[in-house]
Amino acid sequence: MNLFSKSPTFVRQLFCTISLQRLETINHHIRFSSQSSKAIDNNKQQSEYRFSLPNGNLSNEQREFYEKNGFILIRNLVKPESLDHFRKRFQDVCLGKVKVLGMTVMKDVAIAKSEFADGEKAITKIQDFTLDDELFKYCCLPDIVKYVENFTGPNIMAMHTMLINKPPDPGTQSSRHPLHQDLYYFPFRPVDRIVCAWTAMEKINRENGCLVVLPGSHTGELKEHGYPDWKGGVNKMYHGIQQFDPNTKRAHLEMETGDTVFFHPLLIHGSGTNRSPGFRKAISCHYADSACEYIEVENSVQDYISKEITAIFRKKTGIENARFEDVWKIKSRLVQGERINL
Ligand SMILES: O=C(O)CCC(=O)C(=O)O
């Protein structure tokens, strides 16, 4: 088209239209580039998440909280009917009505000495209930597993299970659980693909000994542990961190029945004295990505505990040459997906 053969008005209009189109295009570029930089920012943020995965139920905001603090509390996650079922099963275990292969029934150091304590009153914790189909239902609750996927990915093993029955303290303060990191007990890695779900089976507050956590401590190293030097005695296997700054900020996790906290295995945590007249119950499971691998812990900070646990296992099973990882292989159970390494 020869523009010069057209009227000046037409040419001006055409230039105007072209300019407007250009402006539109530039505008579009600006809009597009700001949208894509938002997407890039979002991807960058996602790739900066180290402690969680996009798989499960957690929102980005919740993931950010976990990344920073090493725990996330989800309110009202487990139904009271399920918790009643687990409570009843626990009572049957304590009364000896149910015997479960591999389960450890632990007595409180102070209460066990009392000849008057019987049934669940003498028992502070049952551990390793994975082979009990009734209690194992806790590990498989879809409401919990959906969050676990945010930490382990889709192939999930239940590695360690507990129903904790913190007794009213007899004045010895032995009902406390010293500050510790759960990774101390675990010979598998990577650490960030392990998570604990811990559910309050009733209202848990400072009076009956709620969980105490040191927010952000999951970013640190695995520390040296050992039995604390407590006058009133300390429960078996309740190792604690010996050296840490007592002024570090603590958070007391007060929870209602069914509330569940998910926390990282390096998070420093423990629980307080039970000053109430009742037993304080919680149920928990440590999950791991089944693609995690066993590691050697000899001569590491885990050396002492691995020998203590393996010795108990050898005595219980009569398997003389059992190794630390064998203890874990036997008690762990697949929850979802494929059993890869563990
Ligand atoms: O339930 C509690 O009192 C604390 C349990 C705990 O931290 C543990 O057994 O590792």
Side-chain angles (χ1 to χ4, degrees):
M1 176 166 56
N2 181 0
L3 285 179
F4 299 102
S5 66
K6 302 286 173 190
S7 76
T9 323
F10 174 82
V11 173
R12 256 201 319 274
Q13 274 174 350
L14 189 63
F15 269 107
C16 239
T17 311
I18 290 171
S19 309
L20 271 176
Q21 276 173 356
R22 275 219 182 112
L23 255 180
E24 276 276 286
T25 313
I26 290 167
N27 230 338
H28 172 80
H29 278 310
I30 292 171
R31 269 205 319 270
F32 179 76
S33 74
S34 87
Q35 268 167 10
S36 58
S37 72
K38 259 189 212 145
I40 288 166
D41 270 1
N42 204 21
N43 283 342
K44 198 167 136 240
Q45 192 185 33
Q46 296 274 346
S47 66
E48 277 168 6
Y49 289 147
R50 165 183 155 193
F51 301 103
S52 63
L53 302 167
N55 298 44
N57 259 0
L58 290 179
S59 65
N60 272 1
E61 209 180 356
Q62 289 171 317
R63 284 180 69 192
E64 266 153 41
F65 186 91
Y66 184 88
E67 295 282 323
K68 182 163 175 246
N69 295 288
F71 69 94
I72 179 85
L73 179 49
I74 309 292
R75 298 281 177 197
N76 203 14
L77 192 64
V78 179
K79 293 190 179 64
E81 306 85 82
S82 303
L83 296 174
D84 285 344
H85 182 69
F86 304 140
R87 186 176 293 109
K88 172 84 185 51
R89 189 69 176 175
F90 171 70
Q91 281 158 355
D92 288 347
V93 170
C94 294
L95 293 173
K97 289 190 193 165
V98 175
K99 291 251 179 297
V100 181
L101 194 72
M103 186 189 281
T104 306
V105 178
M106 294 163 81
K107 295 194 169 172
D108 180 84
V109 65
I111 293 176
K113 288 181 193 146
S114 157
E115 57 197 283
F116 304 110
D118 57 0
E120 70 177 289
K121 291 209 169 84
I123 290 163
T124 192
K125 190 193 261 195
I126 56 173
Q127 206 159 272
D128 304 324
F129 56 68
T130 31
L131 297 183
D132 178 45
D133 287 343
E134 290 314 309
L135 289 171
F136 186 64
K137 284 180 181 156
Y138 169 74
C139 310
C140 303
L141 288 173
D143 287 336
I144 291 202
V145 173
K146 208 64 208 132
Y147 284 99
V148 170
E149 281 189 45
N150 273 111
F151 309 103
T152 59
N155 299 306
I156 306 175
M157 291 288 289
M159 299 303 292
H160 184 57
T161 44
M162 295 183 286
L163 196 154
I164 307 132
N165 186 43
K166 192 194 267 288
D169 198 275
T172 52
Q173 289 199 298
S174 54
S175 64
R176 283 175 296 170
H177 198 129
L179 289 172
H180 64 283
Q181 294 164 300
D182 290 337
L183 189 71
Y184 176 63
Y185 298 89
F186 303 157
F188 39 91
R189 303 287 189 277
V191 56
D192 299 331
R193 298 288 75 85
I194 305 170
V195 73
C196 177
W198 187 100
T199 302
M201 295 178 73
E202 58 206 297
K203 188 181 181 73
I204 298 185
N205 53 22
R206 289 188 74 163
E207 199 209 347
N208 61 3
C210 65
L211 278 186
V212 184
V213 303
L214 271 47
S217 52
H218 65 304
T219 56
E221 298 288 300
L222 180 59
K223 295 183 187 295
E224 295 229 6
H225 286 60
Y227 280 112
D229 189 14
W230 287 350
K231 282 199 197 76
V234 59
N235 283 316
K236 205 151 176 50
M237 234 92 81
Y238 280 28
H239 291 209
I241 290 175
Q242 310 279 286
Q243 321 245 305
F244 75 97
D245 178 1
N247 299 318
T248 316
K249 195 179 126 232
R250 297 173 184 209
H252 291 86
L253 305 185
E254 299 206 312
M255 295 161 69
E256 297 293 327
T257 310
D259 290 354
T260 301
V261 60
F262 295 88
F263 63 90
H264 189 276
L266 277 171
L267 184 79
I268 299 176
H269 68 285
S271 64
T273 307
N274 181 1
R275 294 193 167 84
S276 80
F279 285 78
R280 187 231 71 182
K281 285 188 180 55
I283 185 165
S284 79
C285 177
H286 282 87
Y287 300 88
D289 175 1
S290 78
C292 283
E293 292 189 32
Y294 287 108
I295 56 152
E296 277 305 328
V297 296
E298 219 176 329
N299 300 323
S300 74
V301 289
Q302 293 179 261
D303 190 81
Y304 181 85
I305 190 68
S306 71
K307 290 195 167 109
E308 188 178 356
I309 292 176
T310 313
I312 294 170
F313 181 80
R314 285 179 183 157
K315 203 166 151 202
K316 240 168 108 175
T317 60
I319 308 173
E320 280 299 312
N321 55 356
R323 294 161 308 153
F324 193 28
E325 68 175 67
D326 297 327
V327 178
W328 292 93
K329 277 182 191 158
I330 286 177
K331 68 184 192 162
S332 53
R333 183 167 169 185
L334 188 68
V335 169
Q336 176 184 286
E338 195 190 338
R339 188 165 186 165
I340 301 171
N341 292 323
L342 289 175

